[in-house]
Amino acid sequence: MVAYDGSHDAKLALRWVAEESLRTGAPVRVLAVNELLAPTWGGVGGTIVVTETYVRDCSELLGEAEKELADLGVTDVTTQTRSGNVVDEMLHAADHASVLVVGSRGHSAAGEALMGSVSQHLARHATCPVVVVREPRDATSRRIVVGIDGSVTSMAALDFAVRRAEETGETVVAIHGWRDHVASADVWSSEPRMIEIQEHELLLAESLAGMRSEHPDVRIEHEAISVAPEKCLVDASAHASLVVVGSRGQGYFRGLLLGSVSQAVLHRAQCPVVVVR
């Protein structure tokens, strides 16, 4: 399912979905939401004024999206219009989608850019993987970068990346980064530091072992780097076709729906990002 609002990034998302549909044969569902802006209350000199509810009509956008997909060769398309809160309607409509695709920045009813609101909310709450599409810095890249921290969701992200690479022939680059905390004992000996590095390298190797045996035809590279994971992934995204992250990792606070690393990557990555649960 692709959310479409006519913005530049929504058109990028539409093209991304078209490529996926042509590659996999999956049908496409396009959703446009007639966004409602709540009434505004105000008053001067004791007089209460209530403005009318504002509705941004998106019905014409569906025809535009359908034509764009047809021009790209995609014919198995259904369209749908809903009215209400954009995020709520998208989440409800995506309940039975295999993946939800949105542009990085869209338009609200007031015409404002929406990174950090719609995209972030969908990445937090959707029950299926969410793809946030933006123009890649390196359009020729054949590398899928995936963040690994040993959590259940990072393993789901790795599985997503490897299965995709199995179909596309791309290389998977598994990156495990960590914030470096130098122990006081390092002043006298390098042993504690070496033990810490070996533990991180072991975590990465164990995470990849099963995938390499189950998907022998996929080229999997790996890097363990003592740099904050969000920085590792954002830097790697400059030469990636896609970055895949779990919705939350080992260090998330109880009840947090989207981890700090995932949020940082969504904001700063230089290619499309997939958030997997």
Side-chain angles (χ1 to χ4, degrees):
M1 189 184 85
V2 57
Y4 189 70
D5 68 356
S7 64
H8 171 72
D9 280 10
K11 293 177 180 178
L12 292 179
L14 208 62
R15 290 197 287 272
W16 194 93
V17 164
E19 292 176 3
E20 289 299 294
S21 178
L22 293 173
R23 180 176 63 82
T24 65
V28 175
R29 181 156 56 112
V30 184
L31 174 69
V33 179
N34 295 323
E35 187 180 5
L36 305 182
L37 188 65
T40 302
W41 293 72
V44 178
T47 302
I48 298 177
V49 179
V50 184
T51 63
E52 294 183 359
T53 299
Y54 179 83
V55 179
R56 181 170 183 263
D57 186 3
C58 294
S59 55
E60 291 185 4
L61 293 176
L62 293 178
E64 175 185 308
E66 198 165 11
K67 182 181 183 304
E68 177 74 14
L69 289 170
D71 290 344
L72 293 169
V74 181
T75 56
D76 192 355
V77 179
T78 58
T79 60
Q80 182 181 14
T81 303
R82 289 175 175 245
S83 298
N85 178 273
V86 173
V87 172
D88 290 344
E89 294 302 325
M90 287 182 184
L91 289 173
H92 187 266
D95 278 346
H96 302 291
S98 59
V99 64
L100 171 60
V101 184
V102 295
S104 175
R105 307 177 74 91
H107 295 302
S108 71
E112 299 171 344
L114 284 183
M115 185 63 230
S117 56
V118 170
S119 300
Q120 287 275 340
H121 277 88
L122 294 175
R124 286 189 185 100
H125 299 286
T127 55
C128 64
V130 175
V131 183
V132 178
V133 180
R134 55 168 57 87
E135 199 87 57
R137 179 173 177 179
D138 183 357
T140 65
S141 176
R142 300 283 295 162
R143 293 158 52 94
I144 302 173
V145 170
V146 56
I148 302 293
D149 68 359
S151 65
V152 172
T153 57
S154 82
M155 293 306 296
L158 178 61
D159 182 71
F160 182 101
V162 170
R163 290 182 185 277
R164 178 182 173 84
E166 200 165 39
E167 299 173 354
T168 63
E170 293 172 286
T171 297
V172 172
V173 182
I175 295 180
H176 173 60
W178 69 93
R179 291 173 177 81
D180 194 11
H181 301 290
V182 179
S184 59
D186 282 0
V187 175
W188 312 104
S189 170
S190 64
E191 183 177 357
R193 170 78 176 138
M194 289 303 300
I195 291 174
E196 179 190 11
I197 293 174
Q198 290 168 2
E199 288 175 347
H200 286 288
E201 290 177 341
L202 179 61
L203 182 153
L204 182 55
E206 289 177 342
S207 298
L208 296 177
M211 286 295 173
R212 284 197 165 111
S213 61
E214 293 173 14
H215 304 274
D217 295 332
V218 177
R219 181 179 179 183
I220 302 178
E221 300 175 356
H222 65 275
E223 297 180 47
I225 313 170
S226 59
V227 175
E230 59 270 27
K231 177 169 175 51
C232 291
L233 295 172
V234 170
D235 288 349
S237 73
H239 301 287
S241 59
L242 190 69
V243 173
V244 188
V245 292
S247 57
R248 53 187 186 181
Q250 292 281 42
Y252 70 87
F253 294 103
R254 185 175 299 277
L256 193 64
L257 296 174
L258 189 66
S260 59
V261 172
S262 303
Q263 291 190 61
V265 172
L266 277 177
H267 274 286
R268 296 162 48 200
Q270 301 170 74
C271 69
V273 178
V274 184
V275 179
V276 180
R277 286 184 162 65

